[in-house]
Amino acid sequence: MARPRRYDDDVRSRLLEAASVALAQHGSEGVSLRAVATAASTTTAAVYTLFGGRESLLEEVVAEGFRRFASQLDAVPETDDPGEDLFRLGLAYRDSALAEPHFYRAMFERPAAPGHDTIAHGTFDRLRRAAARVRGPQG
């Protein structure tokens, strides 16, 4: 009996990248697993093994977009100057969108799936807190 094929983090990353591009270009309905697998230099079996199927892959693309976005925002230190902090967060937001436009579009193409929605909310909470600091307590 043949051993099951194993897929590593590199294959997973390539699939997320390819799926994010397809989602940004074609929308949810236009994403083909065969095309995504081909673009990622793997097979559809890898999608099913790593993600369970098309919907789970697309959900993970959105979650990955928010994780990457959050990482950009988390790299901005909080200081004693709320206005400067909000400005720097805005720059990080822009930089994230420009660096990975396909993940940025994917984040807003579909709602975050249950279980992944806390990633999205947490990311935007950082921005809301920064804006509230500028506004002050009377807000």
Side-chain angles (χ1 to χ4, degrees), residues 4-135:
R5 191 170 186 174
R6 304 251 174 180
Y7 301 102
D8 61 13
D9 287 340
D10 182 56
V11 173
R12 183 180 187 284
S13 294
R14 289 195 325 261
L15 282 167
L16 288 172
E17 188 74 26
S20 72
V21 169
L23 184 59
Q25 289 177 343
H26 308 293
S28 294
E29 298 306 314
V31 175
S32 155
L33 286 188
R34 183 168 296 168
V36 167
T38 298
S41 301
T42 190
T43 65
T44 56
V47 175
Y48 290 103
T49 300
L50 292 168
F51 299 100
R54 183 180 177 282
E55 280 305 306
S56 295
L57 171 62
L58 295 178
E59 289 171 3
E60 192 57 33
V61 165
V62 174
E64 180 66 14
F66 276 107
R67 278 193 289 274
R68 291 177 182 204
F69 180 45
S71 178
Q72 288 273 12
L73 296 181
D74 289 344
V76 176
E78 188 173 308
T79 69
D80 292 333
D81 185 343
E84 183 66 19
D85 291 353
L86 186 58
F87 177 74
R88 288 184 186 270
L89 285 168
L91 292 176
Y93 189 116
R94 182 201 65 191
D95 291 347
S96 178
L98 293 174
E100 299 183 299
H102 46 287
F103 275 107
Y104 181 80
R105 288 197 56 196
M107 288 166 35
F108 299 104
E109 168 68 25
R110 313 168 42 96
H116 291 301
D117 53 353
T118 56
I119 297 168
H121 291 292
T123 302
F124 286 113
D125 280 346
R126 172 85 194 273
L127 294 170
R128 281 190 285 275
R129 285 192 309 273
R133 286 181 60 219
V134 170
R135 212 175 46 233

